[in-house]
Amino acid sequence: MYAAIVFLPLIGCLIAGLFRKQIGARAAMFVTTGLLFVSAGLSIITFAQVAWGGVETQIVLLPWFSIGDFQASWTIRVDMLTAVMLVVVTSVSSLVHLYSIGYMEEDPDQARFFSYLSLFTFAMLMLVTADDLLQLFFGWEGVGLASYLLIGFWYKKPSANAAAIKAFVTNRVGDFGFALGVMATFAVFGTIEFDAIFSAIANDAAVTPLWSEQSSAVSETSISFLGMEFAALELIGFLLFIGAMGKSAQFFLHVWLPDAMEGPTPVSALIHAATMVTAGVFLVCRMWQVYDAAPYASMLVTIIGAVTALYAATVGVAQNDIKRVVAYSTCSQLGYMFFAAGVGAYGAAMFHLFTHAFFKALLFLGSGAVIHGLHHEQDMRLMGGVRSKMPWTWAMMIIGTLALTGVGLPMGAGLGYGFSGFFSKDTIIEAAYFAGEAGNEVGMFAFWMGVIAAFLTSFYSWRLIFMTFHGRYRGPSEVLAHAHDAPWVMRAPLVILSIGALFAGAAFFSSFVGDRSEAFWRGSVPAAHASAEGHGAADAYLEQADNTHAEDMQHETDASAAAPTVTAEEAEDEHSAGGAAAPHAVEADHHAEAADDHGGGHHPPEWVRWTPFGVTIAGFLIAVWAYLLNEGLGARIAARGGPLHAFLYNKWYFDQLYNATLVRGARGLGDLFWKGGDQKIIDGLGPNGVAAAAAFAGRRQSKSQTGYLYHYAFVMLLGVAAFASWVLFTASNSGAPS
Amino acid sequence: MDVATLLGDLRLAAPELTLAGGAMALLMVGVLFGERLQIIASVALALAVTLGAGLALASSSAFGEDGGANLFAFAATGLASLIAFLGARPAGPINGAAASFLVAAGALAIIPAPEGVEAAFNGAFAVDGLSSFAKVVIALSGAASLVMAARYLVGERLAKFEFSVLVMLAVMGMLMMVSARDLIALYIGLEMQSLALYVLAAFNRDSVRASEAGLKYFVLGALSSGLLLYGSSLIYGFTGSTQFVEIAAAVGEEPSIGLLFGLVFLMCGVAFKISAAPFHMWTPDVYEGAPTPVTALFSAAPKMAAMVLFARALYEPFPEIAADWRQIIMALAALSMAVGSFGALAQRNIKRLMAYSSIGNMGFALVALSAGTREGLEGLLIYMTIYLVSTTGIFACILAMRRREGMVEKIEDLAGLSRSHPGLAVAMTMLLFSVAGIPPLAGFFGKFFAFLPAAEAGLWPLVIFAVVMSVVSAFYYLRLIRLMWFDQPAQPLVAAPRELGFIAGLSAFAMFPLFIAPFVAAPGRALVETAAGALF
């Protein structure tokens, strides 16, 4: 069954790709979509089995590499983390397939499009089911390839080609770091299998790095990189995170994501909302043991995540292209996930990934419906007031926006009531607060960044809604006349996704990050009760970040002496099994005080709980004021062209900066190597030069064949004389004349 | 020397005696008898020698007491002789009989010496695994060249019985060469072979080019003989003996300069025979000028004979000073490979091209010889055998290059062969791929076994150079293949004679070690190991 989940999309891809001429576009669409739905159904079954049945397996399909000590095989690993990703990937992908049937109606190349979509899904599934870093890397590169193909799907459009290349090249930068990370892992651990790595870290086992003869404990192994000494785990975490940055469009490597909107809108929804960009988050969560033991790498993750969250939100405020706004919002939300992972709230990161997939896909597909209905118009300045023409789309977009901005009331038991984004985002913000309060240097920074970003998110999201659906229509009137809601084949996925956007948060809150999380994750990510378990857990993150090792030691005594309770025993178990020990150690200390409200956990101060709510409302109100009540105010501010607006509109001038330095530099270097290095030196002295020399030698050779007998005899005698002299010389040198 | 010893020695030289006697008898038949009697006498002689050789082989200890194996040996001798006779028959009955004689000589060469005997004629004439392996290969190669020559001779009005008699005498010289264990025997064998070959080169005496080729070959050959004799006399002077075994005993760890000079001259003389650079200059002119079947003969059997002679003349008397002669062999090898590979690049005439190809191939074979080990000798034998088979096949294809107005020998004339003669083109392609050393084919393994011992002996620079040169040489083989398959045919060639197709097909088939491995490779390896064991 697990193999079917992964390989059905591949089969669909091959059928649609190879036999598209034979079976026709319609059949190709239905085959790929049907297979994806089967795969999605199986994924949901798998999810249920793993979440409530406790099934966890690793199925070895085929051996792949066996080179000396280096072993790798094609494996399907099924645990909770994988199961979550399976559901996210296959359900969004199948809905996008369905939606595309409507959206790509008029495209002449549907079969190719569906083939690529399925290929992408397959690669993503290989990524999430990987049991070692190599297969993960395979999937990683596979999604990179598929995204290149899909972004550049309209390959006749130069801008689409440029965007595809940009995405590919930017990803390569990250992939390079990732590949180095894989190599470093192998060099340190001698294996790239997850379980082996994790148990080595958990037990702080002695490892013998490839470059040295002596073995040392994992935490004490250091590695020399770029002339400096790093702790091995820090470096591995750092390198892997570079890969994650590329794929998840984090600050510095984010430039490709907005441009990727050149692809068809369903692609944006699939790749740039729900799946591919979450690969980086998945990677960090999958390797959480590494990050747990690498405080500085985690700190970097936190900072980059927090900065991205704010940066993308500020840029989103000034954009006019409807898809770009959503794209920057994706970028920003990914930042949330990363800083959650950075402060140790892996469960919260995964939770946000899960809910985000629904509402972001909803928003993208909704934008697609708007674009579709307005005859491929994407500029919000040429929209407005189309709510009456497309009420369904409007309703869906409203749900998506409510979920994205995280509207909800933080009161009552647990966290409160609200849309799905509310649960996950507030969990993350609170986790950052706890971490900061507990002394994590960057925790507070992340908290405030998250709060400001939440404010901006609310503002630009509502700005999008108001500019698009409300007010006066500003585009050409004949387009408005033909504006319409999307057909049902496109509407149905929206409805399904909106259900997810409405309820996924409330339904899965306790499993992902609440009191049931321990039984839910079973160690695939630490069942860290970032907010629900409260203070203690956050404390633990910090102390563990400071000194994992000492904490581990201390925990043994603490747990057994202070609180020989069920929780302490759990902690013991956890320790020997995984390495999620430290949180539980302190948790045991706090057990007594936390015992009375174990379900609700330790609550943050009220102001922390209400702050996200407050800024969300504030953003909403300002958007109402600027775009609904005083329509045209935003446009006037933009028209006045203050430096701040220009700065934001031009995305902090990142593209210009990269163009001026990296792109031009690379092109110059490339020209130098191509014309000077390759053509002149390598080709000139290499193939062409050698060939010319050989031909020349051949001609000389034939010329020396004069036909005159005395020449021949002369050459022979010359040879005899040469050999005789040689023998004479060497023999007298060896001192043996007689 | 008593009569019994003499008879025993003569029996050990049965192949040579058969050829010598046969050559005389056929000469008589040709000179004295008319056409009809020639046929009868040829058939009778062929029958007699085949029966005799077959019976001798079957009753010998070659295959032990196994009746079935002996019967098979007898039948195989008869069949091979019959095929050879029929194949060479078109040029006249005497040619047919001569081919039968060569096959019979090959069969007789299989018969091993009695237990404990390794040489005849006071140790001057070796009869061991090496000599018998080489003799079988040489004799069969000689027979094949007679078969290949038949139609050509008829077509060019050269079908005279002297041709086959000369081939027999040349082969007899070669057989003596591979058995030579004495400087005098070495020289006699070499001269025997060479004199016959000089005449063969100029066999088409109405052609200026053939006469020129023969003359050049003769003059330079005489020069090389002079070098060889001078070297021999120096060696004799400094060791006091002409016998290899005794020379070996006289050569110490620290040889005298005079001996080394003698060795150098000897090696130069032999290098001329295998056309190793810088003693190769005659090769392209002679190959081009001589009649094509003679060229085919030149490029095959004499090379094997001279190589084995070379190995024996170095390994048996001079193992102590291997470090000294190895330097010269390496230089010869490197020069030959370079000359052979680069020289062929600019050639337009396919016979000239094959001349350079054979120079280069001798260089590759010398790489194996330079190792100076038993594995090196094995590699040499494997390489030479494969080379002989493939070069024979290629020449069969070249001999099939005939238009209605006559033979053609420009490489452009091969253009479009795949369309006019698909079978021939496939065979030729396989053979060329093999000679170029493309992996699944035999030529690759030949090179592999030739280079490996040298690498094991630490001669890495030479091995690397050899590999690079074999890449260069692949160019002109591939160019021929491109011509055959991708270029438009200029004018179609006439249909190839059956026996040429047979030989080309057979040798091409032999290039597939995977197909014939179970039947050939394992026993072949065993044979080669025994043969090489003779010197170690």
Side-chain angles (χ1 to χ4, degrees):
Chain A
M1 181 173 89
Y2 304 126
I5 296 174
V6 177
F7 288 102
L8 283 179
L10 179 65
I11 294 168
C13 159
L14 293 177
I15 292 174
L18 298 179
F19 304 107
R20 59 173 186 251
K21 297 233 171 61
Q22 284 82 353
I23 62 174
R26 281 202 86 69
M29 289 194 291
F30 288 119
V31 166
T32 50
T33 310
L35 288 174
L36 236 297
F37 269 98
V38 174
S39 179
L42 293 175
S43 296
I44 291 168
I45 296 172
T46 306
F47 182 82
Q49 279 181 351
V50 180
W52 296 294
V55 181
E56 273 181 24
T57 53
Q58 282 145 33
I59 305 165
V60 179
L61 300 175
L62 277 176
W64 187 7
F65 276 103
S66 177
I67 307 168
D69 293 339
F70 183 78
Q71 308 286 342
S73 51
W74 298 103
T75 309
I76 294 182
R77 177 195 177 98
V78 179
D79 60 8
M80 200 57 230
L81 191 61
T82 299
V84 170
M85 291 304 289
L86 283 180
V87 169
V88 169
V89 172
T90 54
S91 56
V92 173
S93 176
S94 54
L95 292 175
V96 166
H97 271 78
L98 182 63
Y99 179 91
S100 303
I101 293 179
Y103 193 86
M104 302 301 283
E105 211 175 4
E106 292 153 16
D107 199 277
D109 227 354
Q110 289 153 325
R112 185 164 64 91
F113 181 76
F114 278 80
S115 170
Y116 288 170
L117 276 189
S118 285
L119 174 68
F120 168 80
T121 313
F122 163 71
M124 192 68 199
L125 292 172
M126 285 304 278
L127 193 161
V128 300
T129 55
D131 193 36
D132 60 28
L133 282 168
L134 196 66
Q135 190 185 332
L136 202 150
F137 190 61
F138 169 83
W140 194 267
E141 294 297 306
V143 294
L145 166 73
S147 89
Y148 169 80
L149 294 172
L150 283 168
I151 295 169
F153 179 74
W154 286 316
Y155 53 84
K156 287 177 186 148
K157 241 166 80 177
S159 61
N161 270 329
I165 291 170
K166 191 172 180 182
F168 202 71
V169 170
T170 314
N171 267 299
R172 300 249 41 96
V173 176
D175 294 348
F176 184 63
F178 186 84
L180 285 180
V182 177
M183 293 174 209
T185 308
F186 179 70
V188 172
F189 293 98
T191 177
I192 50 167
E193 265 181 59
F194 291 140
D195 287 337
I197 298 168
F198 297 159
S199 69
I201 296 173
N203 304 326
D204 203 10
V207 291
T208 313
L210 281 188
W211 63 86
S212 87
E213 300 288 305
Q214 283 143 4
S215 58
S216 56
V218 172
S219 58
E220 280 154 18
T221 307
S222 66
I223 196 167
S224 163
F225 183 69
L226 298 176
M228 290 185 280
E229 285 283 320
F230 292 95
L233 288 175
E234 296 281 3
L235 185 71
I236 290 170
F238 172 71
L239 289 172
L240 292 179
F241 178 60
I242 301 242
M245 274 168 72
K247 198 111 296 185
S248 291
Q250 292 302 289
F251 201 59
F252 295 125
L253 295 181
H254 64 276
V255 288
W256 65 272
L257 184 60
D259 285 21
M261 299 303 130
E262 289 291 343
T265 304
V267 172
S268 309
L270 176 60
I271 295 184
H272 310 122
T275 50
M276 172 172 143
V277 292
T278 60
V281 182
F282 169 77
L283 174 68
V284 172
C285 290
R286 175 57 91 200
M287 303 299 289
W288 70 269
Q289 266 111 331
V290 172
Y291 289 95
D292 241 17
Y296 292 103
S298 294
M299 212 175 274
L300 181 77
V301 175
T302 314
I303 294 171
I304 293 282
V307 169
T308 309
L310 180 72
Y311 158 78
T314 59
V315 175
V317 166
Q319 299 304 308
N320 290 321
D321 184 315
I322 184 169
K323 277 172 73 182
R324 274 179 189 258
V325 175
V326 187
Y328 276 106
S329 124
T330 304
C331 207
S332 169
Q333 299 302 312
L334 288 166
Y336 277 102
M337 296 176 209
F338 272 110
F339 79 68
V343 299
Y346 303 102
M350 285 308 292
F351 187 37
H352 197 50
L353 189 159
F354 182 69
T355 56
H356 174 257
F358 291 106
F359 58 72
K360 191 49 61 72
L362 175 62
L363 281 172
F364 260 120
L365 295 182
S367 309
V370 173
I371 294 166
H372 189 74
L374 290 179
H375 217 77
H376 292 274
E377 180 56 68
Q378 301 196 6
D379 192 335
M380 292 194 298
R381 283 170 299 187
L382 301 178
M383 298 179 184
V386 296
R387 181 180 57 154
S388 53
K389 291 280 186 182
M390 35 182 88
W392 273 95
T393 310
W394 174 78
M396 294 300 132
M397 288 293 277
I398 290 287
I399 292 173
T401 302
L402 288 170
L404 168 66
T405 55
V407 173
L409 284 176
M411 50 179 21
L415 202 62
Y417 311 94
F419 295 90
S420 58
F422 161 72
F423 291 96
S424 53
K425 195 199 273 183
D426 283 19
T427 308
I428 288 175
I429 292 176
E430 283 167 23
Y433 172 78
F434 286 133
E437 199 189 39
N440 185 336
E441 292 92 331
V442 293
M444 255 332 155
F445 169 74
F447 168 70
W448 285 113
M449 289 288 148
V451 168
I452 300 170
F455 164 71
L456 292 170
T457 304
S458 172
F459 175 72
Y460 68 67
S461 300
W462 289 110
R463 171 175 173 266
L464 184 151
I465 294 290
F466 297 147
M467 279 181 85
T468 306
F469 291 102
H470 297 266
R472 189 170 43 78
Y473 180 70
R474 298 175 294 272
S477 53
E478 66 271 16
V479 173
L480 184 66
H482 293 109
H484 56 86
D485 249 338
W488 267 107
V489 69
M490 290 166 69
R491 219 181 292 165
L494 292 181
V495 174
I496 297 171
L497 286 170
S498 71
I499 295 169
L502 284 171
F503 305 115
F508 288 99
F509 173 71
S510 60
S511 295
F512 275 78
V513 292
D515 51 352
R516 290 217 304 274
S517 59
E518 208 165 299
F520 182 74
W521 290 112
R522 278 192 309 280
S524 59
V525 301
H529 324 263
S531 69
E533 284 297 321
H535 212 139
D539 242 339
Y541 288 128
L542 168 79
E543 283 171 38
Q544 152 202 0
D546 280 341
N547 193 344
T548 316
H549 210 50
E551 183 68 34
D552 267 4
M553 307 290 281
Q554 188 189 342
H555 142 247
E556 296 285 342
T557 45
D558 275 9
S560 49
T565 60
V566 178
T567 323
E569 275 167 27
E570 271 175 25
E572 285 271 16
D573 291 344
E574 277 290 332
H575 178 226
S576 52
H584 296 279
V586 192
E587 180 192 318
D589 283 344
H590 288 266
H591 189 72
E593 53 180 283
D596 51 348
D597 59 351
H598 192 73
H602 195 85
H603 290 299
E606 284 299 307
W607 69 270
V608 172
R609 297 183 67 202
W610 285 94
T611 307
F613 175 77
V615 296
T616 303
I617 299 301
F620 170 71
L621 291 177
I622 293 175
V624 168
W625 177 70
Y627 290 94
L628 209 55
L629 302 180
N630 296 311
E631 203 191 333
L633 179 69
R636 282 198 298 282
I637 294 173
R640 213 179 301 144
L644 183 65
H645 177 264
F647 184 63
L648 296 182
Y649 182 74
N650 289 306
K651 313 148 207 166
W652 296 22
Y653 294 106
F654 259 102
D655 279 351
Q656 284 81 349
L657 184 70
Y658 283 0
N659 257 331
T661 55
L662 300 178
V663 175
R664 195 174 305 162
R667 190 169 292 167
L669 202 64
D671 265 5
L672 181 71
F673 282 143
W674 168 42
K675 290 185 180 140
D678 189 51
Q679 289 189 335
K680 286 211 184 96
I681 295 174
I682 295 179
D683 276 0
L685 299 182
N688 296 343
V690 169
F696 178 73
R699 282 195 301 276
R700 282 302 291 271
Q701 177 71 49
S702 339
K703 235 176 241 162
S704 76
Q705 200 73 32
T706 52
Y708 294 118
L709 198 53
Y710 51 89
H711 282 170
Y712 295 2
F714 179 66
V715 171
M716 280 174 66
L717 292 178
L718 217 57
V720 174
F723 288 141
S725 324
W726 172 259
V727 166
L728 188 65
F729 179 70
T730 50
S732 62
N733 257 10
S734 65
S738 59
Chain B
M1 183 187 278
D2 58 45
V3 178
T5 319
L6 183 65
L7 282 179
D9 285 353
L10 288 177
R11 214 188 72 199
L12 291 177
E16 289 82 356
L17 291 177
T18 308
L19 286 180
M24 290 309 118
L26 290 174
L27 192 61
M28 290 300 157
V29 170
V31 172
L32 300 179
F33 292 172
E35 205 171 305
R36 175 167 296 218
L37 268 178
Q38 275 186 8
I39 297 176
I40 296 169
S42 302
V43 172
L45 280 171
L47 209 59
V49 77
T50 306
L51 280 176
L55 283 175
L57 181 60
S59 61
S60 76
S61 59
F63 298 98
E65 299 298 311
D66 187 348
N70 282 323
L71 187 62
F72 175 76
F74 180 75
T77 309
L79 187 65
S81 176
L82 181 66
I83 292 173
F85 185 92
L86 292 178
R89 167 77 181 72
I94 294 178
N95 276 43
S100 284
F101 268 94
L102 287 168
V103 171
L108 288 173
I110 299 174
I111 300 172
E115 198 74 26
V117 177
E118 58 176 18
F121 303 110
N122 291 327
F125 188 89
V127 186
D128 52 20
L130 180 62
S131 71
S132 92
F133 178 84
K135 280 177 188 177
V136 174
V137 173
I138 291 167
L140 291 181
S141 164
S145 61
L146 271 186
V147 172
M148 280 155 57
R151 304 262 179 193
Y152 178 91
L153 295 174
V154 175
E156 302 288 311
R157 300 179 195 290
L158 291 173
K160 307 193 177 77
F161 68 90
E162 290 91 338
F163 184 87
S164 51
V165 172
L166 284 167
V167 171
M168 284 170 79
L169 290 174
V171 171
M172 185 199 133
M174 295 173 208
L175 300 191
M176 288 179 68
M177 281 161 73
V178 299
S179 274
R181 226 163 65 123
D182 179 291
L183 292 173
I184 305 282
L186 181 155
Y187 181 69
I188 300 282
L190 207 62
E191 267 327 79
M192 180 89 223
Q193 175 220 231
S194 299
L195 285 170
L197 292 182
Y198 299 148
V199 182
L200 279 173
F203 194 72
N204 187 3
R205 54 183 184 171
D206 297 335
S207 154
V208 180
R209 284 168 71 203
S211 306
E212 184 195 333
L215 188 62
K216 271 182 187 165
Y217 190 28
F218 176 63
V219 173
L220 294 173
L223 178 61
S224 82
S225 292
L227 294 173
L228 188 109
L229 277 176
Y230 183 51
S232 302
S233 63
L234 275 175
I235 293 170
Y236 173 65
F238 279 87
T239 58
S241 174
T242 56
Q243 292 231 345
F244 289 176
V245 184
E246 287 169 27
I247 294 172
V251 174
E253 290 266 329
E254 295 184 345
S256 63
I257 288 292
L259 179 65
L260 287 176
F261 260 59
L263 181 56
V264 167
F265 277 90
L266 179 78
M267 288 170 74
C268 291
V270 180
F272 175 86
K273 297 295 170 197
I274 57 168
S275 66
F279 308 100
H280 67 283
M281 300 293 278
W282 60 277
T283 320
D285 292 5
V286 173
Y287 271 42
E288 189 185 358
T292 312
V294 176
T295 310
L297 175 66
F298 276 177
S299 71
K303 299 284 193 269
M304 179 79 175
M307 268 299 177
V308 172
L309 170 79
F310 215 161
R312 200 190 281 278
L314 289 174
Y315 283 26
E316 268 199 325
F318 303 111
E320 302 275 350
I321 51 171
D324 290 299
W325 56 256
R326 172 184 287 167
Q327 306 275 337
I328 295 173
I329 296 286
M330 284 170 67
L332 287 172
L335 280 171
S336 305
M337 290 187 289
V339 166
S341 302
F342 288 117
L345 292 179
Q347 300 307 324
R348 302 247 143 259
N349 182 297
I350 190 149
K351 281 158 75 182
R352 259 189 117 76
L353 189 139
M354 287 309 292
Y356 282 105
S357 160
S358 81
I359 294 171
N361 275 301
M362 289 310 111
F364 295 132
L366 284 175
V367 171
L369 190 62
S370 68
T373 57
R374 178 173 176 162
E375 287 74 26
L377 184 56
E378 285 174 22
L380 176 77
L381 292 177
I382 294 173
Y383 189 84
M384 287 306 296
T385 308
I386 292 170
Y387 165 74
L388 240 60
V389 173
S390 50
T391 199
T392 303
I394 291 173
F395 268 103
C397 296
I398 294 173
L399 280 163
M401 289 168 63
R402 174 187 289 278
R403 295 226 181 92
R404 205 165 304 146
E405 62 270 21
M407 292 296 292
V408 288
E409 46 193 45
K410 289 233 170 303
I411 63 169
E412 285 82 8
D413 296 321
L414 278 174
L417 192 69
S418 63
R419 257 156 292 179
S420 53
H421 298 75
L424 207 58
V426 168
M428 179 87 161
T429 305
M430 287 304 136
L431 291 164
L432 289 170
F433 271 137
S434 172
V435 182
I438 307 293
L441 300 170
F444 166 76
F445 292 101
K447 280 197 173 122
F448 179 76
F449 287 119
F451 297 168
L452 189 65
E456 279 169 353
L459 309 177
W460 280 106
L462 185 66
V463 173
I464 291 169
F465 186 73
V467 172
V468 170
M469 283 303 126
S470 81
V471 171
V472 174
S473 67
F475 169 78
Y476 53 81
Y477 298 125
L478 293 177
R479 186 173 60 160
L480 292 180
I481 292 170
R482 194 205 68 192
L483 271 171
M484 286 190 287
W485 291 91
F486 300 113
D487 284 18
Q488 291 299 323
Q491 271 177 297
L493 307 170
V494 298
R498 232 175 321 149
E499 59 271 15
L500 291 182
F502 175 74
I503 289 179
L506 197 66
S507 47
F509 182 68
M511 292 301 112
F512 284 98
L514 292 180
F515 289 164
I516 58 173
F519 311 110
V520 173
R525 258 333 272 285
L527 274 179
V528 167
E529 272 168 24
T530 331
L535 295 191
F536 286 89

